[in-house]
Amino acid sequence: MLSTAAGFGLALAGAAHAQGQLEAIMKARGLTEKDVLAAAKTYVPTGKRDDFIVFSSGGQSGQIMVYGIPSMRILKFIGVFTPEPWQGYGFDDESKKVLAGGRINGKDILFGDTHHPAISETKGAYDGEYLFINDKNNPRVAVIDLKDFETKQIVVNPIMMSEHGGTFVTPNTEYVMEATQYPAPLGKNAGYVPLSKFNEKFRGAVTYWKFDRKKGRIVPEESFSFELPPYSQDLSDAGKRASYGWGATNSFCSERYVGGIEKGRPPFEAGCSQKDTDFLHLTYWKKAVDVVKAGKVKKINGHDVIMMDTSIKEGLLYLIPEPKSPHGVDFSPDGKYIIVSGKLDTHASVYDWAKIQKLIKAKDFAGKDPYGLPILDLKKSLHTQVEVGLGPLHTQYDSKPCVVYTSIYVDSMVTKWDYCKGKVLDQLHIHYNIGHLMTMEGDTVEPQGKWLVSLNKLAIDRFNPVGPLHPQNHQLIDITGDKMILTKDMPVPLGEPHYAVAIRASKLHPIVRYKLGWNSREDKKSEFRTRPGREKMVMKDGVLHVYGTVIRSHITPEIIEVEQGQKISIHLTNVERAEDETHGFAISGTNVNLSIEPGKTVSATFVADKAGVFPYYCTEFCSALHLEMEGILLVRPKGMKAQNASVSEGQKYTEADYKKQYSQNLGVQKVIDSVVNFIVSRNFKDYPTVVGLVEDATDQLKFAADAKKKAEDFAAKKDWQNATLWAQQWFQYQVKAADIGLRAKTYLEQNGAKVIKK
Ligand code: K7E
Ligand code: CUA
């Protein structure tokens, strides 16, 4: 009793003390109550995790950035179109092959202008399996597997020279949309066409890339495109629910202006914004699939294209005017509305899908465009138009019905409005010049609300200055209440992230290790996988294949000797089973740099064209003896004979050294035994993390027993040199086993493991 009362009093005093401290800190740092509230809403304590995971375009960095919400902590940059050394991406043979898939006319293109990531969907909801992103410049689409967050495939668009309206997936990820930006003659090798032929020969297109869910890859042979007029197509979105089977792509510069400022003509920006409206293109992909099957296509560069004449005949392609230089096009979660914003207009236009379908069915058209495409009447297609601010761009949906958020570029603002009733609800200033914006799962059939991220183009004065090139600024906004509340700024230091998507973290199920000997880029066992003890060097077709392993704390082999000019292919398997035990591998002066995650097999092929001594080592600080995770590549000058294999070591060992090490090891064994006893007398099998650690420790103890035997065998032959060295190695394995065992013990203690009877 007494102790309870005393404890209660202490707690009260503690709370009062903490309150005082908080006030003191607020005062010292000049924080308002609003600041502290924002911090409390978004702070994720150490060891805790975020509710949502964001995949953000990395802009011209050609990467994808992964971060958590609400903490805004960056978790990863995924190498996609650009080599990324940490992941060995673009350095190992396996990932070089992925990047080679993105070659254009045989040329390596080692960057991408990424714009719009898309998460794979099932029935219009994110399923967390795959991620896609486009490259506006080149134009290409990449597939990332969310099992390991690695890029698996890059496909090059066979007919476009530039794109923008990708990637957007159809509701079951049947297809991935990619639409052109700047018109050009269709076909990668269409060649030169003078601008005087712009109207006749230049074209836009929208490609529907077929996605094979089982293989996790795009199937180019089963993909097709619609030929579109040479308007500059812009963004796309796939219809859902009510509008399932359709896609929408908008456009600007339907004036078809071709520029020529250097010839005294007005620049593109003037010529491209003359008309009051441009065109929204509706493409009926579901029906188009049958048209393609029936062969009513033209093959361009080996790719099936539905020409405009066919689209008109088959009823696959319609235009609706949209005011003025539109940018975003976003279907509502139920698919009944499409919201389009015009960059040069203050309105957002809400189109009514039922009205659109009625007009199409009745063939009630307002006219035809110069290519004969039917145009629906703007007024007859509209539900409403709402004045949202100057320079509206993109729209995202809330979990609350009818509530949306539109980014307002010129006014640097987010407008919250009701698209059913057509009225503005709230406006919030951001810093500065917002492009896209993103709500949680806000482009799916089930938006999750809660948070909004404003992807701002400019940061200007928000952060400590770092020179003329500023980071971008992502701002986190609380949208749970009636009023939007700005809570946090996050500098983005890698490129211009145009769009981002956020998925509930619980929908992602990444692996922690690969199956042993795995080629992750092809999702299969590597032909070069190697088990511990089976390391070897094999000369085949003039190439020296080194089959090696890495495990704490050694690389096998430790010495590779070749003659100058020898082509070498080093295949390394990380034989760790532990979580987070990645090893690296880099050789001086060769551009060889590998990341070998547990279970993975990767290869580096190169020519040893320079004679000399080239140290190699592990680049991840993986263990206490990480610095000793090293080896030597010796390249003999051409024609020089191999020297005798003996090595001169700095240290000689005696029987006394051996005995000293041996008895020390026996002492360590006692400590290990006590840790093992602790673990096995608890219900450790209820903790998957600990089971993994125990497996790992058991491995290390096996290696230890092995080394002990070798030490004893050499001692029996009175070879004290090798006996002492093996006793030392035995000790190394013990240290690793003890380290892992202690981690497991701490975990059990902290997670309330119970003693079980044995
Ligand atoms: Cu920057 Cu979607 Cu390419 Cu708008 S896009 S901002
Ligand atoms: Cu392996 Cu450091």
Side-chain angles (χ1 to χ4, degrees):
M1 269 294 107
L2 188 70
S3 70
T4 312
F8 189 61
L10 271 177
L12 269 184
H17 178 65
Q19 182 65 29
Q21 260 193 334
L22 180 62
E23 276 162 17
I25 291 170
M26 284 171 67
K27 203 166 157 221
R29 299 196 63 215
L31 299 176
T32 64
E33 195 169 308
K34 224 173 119 204
D35 294 332
V36 175
L37 267 176
K41 273 185 207 164
T42 59
Y43 177 65
V44 175
T46 173
K48 294 280 190 313
R49 299 191 182 173
D50 280 301
D51 300 331
F52 292 93
I53 300 298
V54 176
F55 296 97
S56 170
S57 140
Q60 59 276 57
S61 78
Q63 303 178 346
I64 283 178
M65 174 173 62
V66 187
Y67 65 84
I69 282 189
S71 76
M72 310 293 268
R73 296 181 298 194
I74 295 175
L75 302 169
K76 200 170 226 177
F77 296 118
I78 305 173
V80 183
F81 297 108
T82 308
E84 201 294 321
W86 171 46
Q87 293 148 49
Y89 183 65
F91 292 88
D92 62 63
D93 296 350
E94 288 79 0
S95 62
K96 274 181 182 166
K97 237 174 154 178
V98 175
L99 277 168
R103 278 187 190 149
I104 294 181
N105 296 328
K107 189 186 275 177
D108 282 323
I109 307 283
L110 296 181
F111 95 104
D113 186 12
T114 62
H115 275 238
H116 309 106
I119 296 171
S120 59
E121 294 179 7
T122 301
K123 292 186 180 152
Y126 291 159
D127 55 40
E129 290 188 2
Y130 293 93
L131 182 68
F132 309 89
I133 196 157
N134 67 320
D135 169 7
K136 166 169 165 161
N137 184 59
N138 292 304
R140 304 175 292 179
V141 167
V143 181
I144 295 114
D145 192 333
L146 292 177
K147 271 202 302 294
D148 59 0
F149 287 48
E150 273 196 352
T151 304
K152 307 292 179 177
Q153 184 186 24
I154 297 174
V155 291
V156 179
N157 194 293
I159 59 169
M160 298 177 187
M161 296 308 288
S162 127
E163 58 101 289
H164 188 246
T167 53
F168 300 91
V169 300
T170 57
N172 294 299
T173 325
E174 300 97 329
Y175 291 91
V176 182
M177 295 176 76
E178 183 187 31
T180 37
Q181 182 103 85
Y182 308 114
L186 294 185
K188 265 271 168 330
N189 299 306
Y192 170 79
V193 177
L195 284 174
S196 58
K197 294 266 171 7
F198 185 90
N199 289 340
E200 306 90 77
K201 297 284 185 189
F202 282 52
R203 289 292 178 267
V206 56
T207 299
Y208 283 85
W209 289 103
K210 174 77 188 153
F211 185 64
D212 181 332
R213 170 83 65 153
K214 266 213 202 97
K215 292 202 184 99
R217 299 293 183 273
I218 282 172
V219 190
E221 310 79 54
E222 293 174 32
S223 307
F224 65 90
S225 298
F226 288 89
E227 179 201 24
L228 300 181
Y231 311 142
S232 291
Q233 278 74 30
D234 198 29
L235 276 170
S236 302
D237 197 11
K240 47 187 102 145
R241 292 198 167 146
S243 43
Y244 176 76
W246 291 77
T249 301
N250 53 21
S251 63
F252 60 93
C253 206
S254 55
E255 294 85 352
R256 293 176 289 163
Y257 191 64
V258 295
I261 192 169
E262 63 295 321
K263 293 183 183 135
R265 284 162 52 83
F268 268 113
E269 46 190 316
C272 280
S273 50
Q274 233 354 78
K275 284 169 47 186
D276 283 337
T277 55
D278 291 286
F279 289 119
L280 180 65
H281 308 63
L282 297 177
T283 46
Y284 194 1
W285 65 263
K286 196 85 191 15
K287 190 172 174 204
V289 173
D290 297 328
V291 171
V292 173
K293 272 201 197 116
K296 297 175 192 168
V297 291
K298 183 174 169 190
K299 285 262 181 211
I300 302 181
N301 194 16
H303 175 76
D304 290 338
V305 181
I306 305 174
M307 304 308 277
M308 286 192 279
D309 286 351
T310 309
S311 287
I312 295 166
K313 227 180 285 158
E314 303 281 342
L316 304 177
L317 177 54
Y318 300 91
L319 303 178
I320 316 178
E322 42 179 11
K324 174 157 191 182
S325 301
H327 192 42
V329 48
D330 299 279
F331 277 96
S332 63
D334 58 11
K336 290 181 179 168
Y337 298 94
I338 313 172
I339 298 179
V340 172
S341 311
K343 298 190 293 276
L344 300 179
D345 192 61
T346 53
H347 293 92
S349 303
V350 185
Y351 293 83
D352 184 325
W353 188 255
K355 288 183 183 172
I356 290 170
Q357 283 304 308
K358 227 169 125 190
L359 293 173
I360 291 176
K361 292 229 168 74
K363 296 200 177 0
D364 179 355
F365 305 129
K368 285 179 187 169
D369 87 334
Y371 301 90
L373 296 177
I375 302 171
L376 309 192
D377 183 75
L378 171 62
K379 286 251 161 59
K380 287 188 192 165
S381 312
L382 277 181
H383 166 64
T384 184
Q385 286 183 310
V386 180
E387 179 133 1
V388 289
L390 194 56
L393 298 182
H394 302 284
T395 297
Q396 287 263 300
Y397 293 82
D398 200 338
S399 53
K400 299 166 197 156
C402 296
V403 175
V404 285
Y405 303 84
T406 296
S407 54
I408 314 291
Y409 179 82
V410 179
D411 279 338
S412 283
M413 187 166 78
V414 175
T415 296
K416 174 180 179 178
W417 54 289
D418 181 320
Y419 66 91
C420 302
K421 295 200 191 98
K423 71 170 200 248
V424 170
L425 303 171
D426 186 27
Q427 292 186 311
L428 178 77
H429 281 280
I430 54 77
H431 315 84
Y432 300 90
N433 296 87
I434 179 172
H436 275 272
L437 74 184
M438 163 191 68
T439 53
M440 306 299 97
E441 307 195 352
D443 58 6
T444 72
V445 295
E446 42 193 41
Q448 301 291 305
K450 287 199 167 60
W451 298 104
L452 171 93
V453 174
S454 161
L455 284 71
N456 305 326
K457 302 295 183 194
L458 303 179
I460 307 183
D461 54 8
R462 304 307 283 185
F463 306 114
N464 299 61
V466 289
L469 181 62
H470 292 235
Q472 310 268 321
N473 187 12
H474 282 196
Q475 290 188 299
L476 183 66
I477 296 159
D478 175 0
I479 54 167
T480 50
D482 289 340
K483 290 255 157 218
M484 294 178 275
I485 302 170
L486 183 59
T487 62
K488 202 168 195 158
D489 285 14
M490 175 205 192
V492 177
L494 85 159
E496 187 189 321
H498 291 263
Y499 185 43
V501 284
I503 182 173
R504 199 170 271 288
S506 58
K507 285 188 178 175
L508 295 171
H509 307 285
I511 55 169
V512 297
R513 72 182 69 76
Y514 293 105
K515 289 176 201 157
L516 194 67
W518 203 248
N519 176 340
S520 68
R521 303 288 170 176
E522 287 182 10
D523 269 336
K524 60 177 196 195
K525 272 189 182 165
S526 168
E527 57 183 309
F528 304 117
R529 65 187 184 277
T530 307
R531 295 183 154 281
R534 307 276 177 81
E535 296 89 350
K536 61 183 177 189
M537 298 196 209
V538 182
M539 191 68 87
K540 200 183 157 209
D541 303 327
V543 181
L544 178 68
H545 288 270
V546 179
Y547 293 79
T549 59
V550 288
I551 190 166
R552 278 155 295 167
S553 312
H554 49 266
I555 301 164
T556 309
E558 294 186 340
I559 301 164
I560 303 172
E561 179 160 345
V562 296
E563 201 182 48
Q564 188 177 5
Q566 177 65 51
K567 190 169 184 182
I568 310 174
S569 197
I570 299 179
H571 316 288
L572 292 176
T573 301
N574 182 339
V575 294
E576 301 275 3
R577 284 193 288 177
E579 194 170 336
D580 199 8
E581 276 300 346
T582 294
H583 299 287
F585 179 79
I587 310 178
S588 170
T590 56
N591 208 34
V592 169
N593 166 55
L594 306 175
S595 170
I596 322 159
E597 296 94 66
K600 202 182 209 182
T601 299
V602 284
S603 310
T605 303
F606 62 102
V607 176
D609 49 7
K610 207 171 153 24
V613 174
F614 305 91
Y616 54 81
Y617 66 97
C618 167
T619 49
E620 288 264 346
F621 209 111
C622 51
S623 55
L625 289 178
H626 149 78
L627 296 177
E628 289 76 356
M629 200 160 168
E630 57 170 327
I632 308 171
L633 168 66
L634 296 160
V635 183
R636 283 193 314 274
K638 235 187 162 70
M640 184 190 271
K641 274 213 181 117
Q643 299 289 299
N644 95 39
S646 75
V647 286
S648 76
E649 284 167 327
Q651 186 72 45
K652 294 273 175 285
Y653 299 104
T654 62
E655 183 176 4
D657 292 323
Y658 172 72
K659 289 204 161 134
K660 191 173 152 209
Q661 184 66 52
Y662 195 93
S663 75
Q664 184 191 338
N665 292 3
L666 293 180
V668 173
Q669 196 53 48
K670 279 199 191 126
V671 179
I672 292 174
D673 291 343
S674 79
V675 176
V676 169
N677 272 334
F678 179 95
I679 294 169
V680 298
S681 64
R682 304 295 189 287
N683 58 332
F684 77 93
K685 287 189 179 142
D686 297 339
Y687 301 89
T689 306
V690 176
V691 171
L693 289 169
V694 167
E695 272 181 18
D696 189 17
T698 308
D699 280 350
Q700 300 295 336
L701 288 173
K702 246 186 265 157
F703 299 142
D706 228 39
K708 178 175 186 239
K709 170 126 200 326
K710 282 184 178 138
E712 288 166 348
D713 288 350
F714 278 112
K717 289 186 262 175
K718 298 205 187 308
D719 177 347
W720 304 119
Q721 190 72 7
N722 278 311
T724 311
L725 285 168
W726 277 111
Q728 176 61 235
Q729 185 57 32
W730 163 22
F731 172 70
Q732 294 306 336
Y733 288 126
Q734 287 183 315
V735 170
K736 280 175 242 171
D739 175 40
I740 300 157
L742 286 170
R743 243 193 286 165
K745 182 171 177 248
T746 310
Y747 189 96
L748 291 175
E749 283 166 352
Q750 287 177 350
N751 288 280
K754 288 191 271 305
V755 178
I756 48 165
K757 291 205 183 80
K758 288 185 67 186

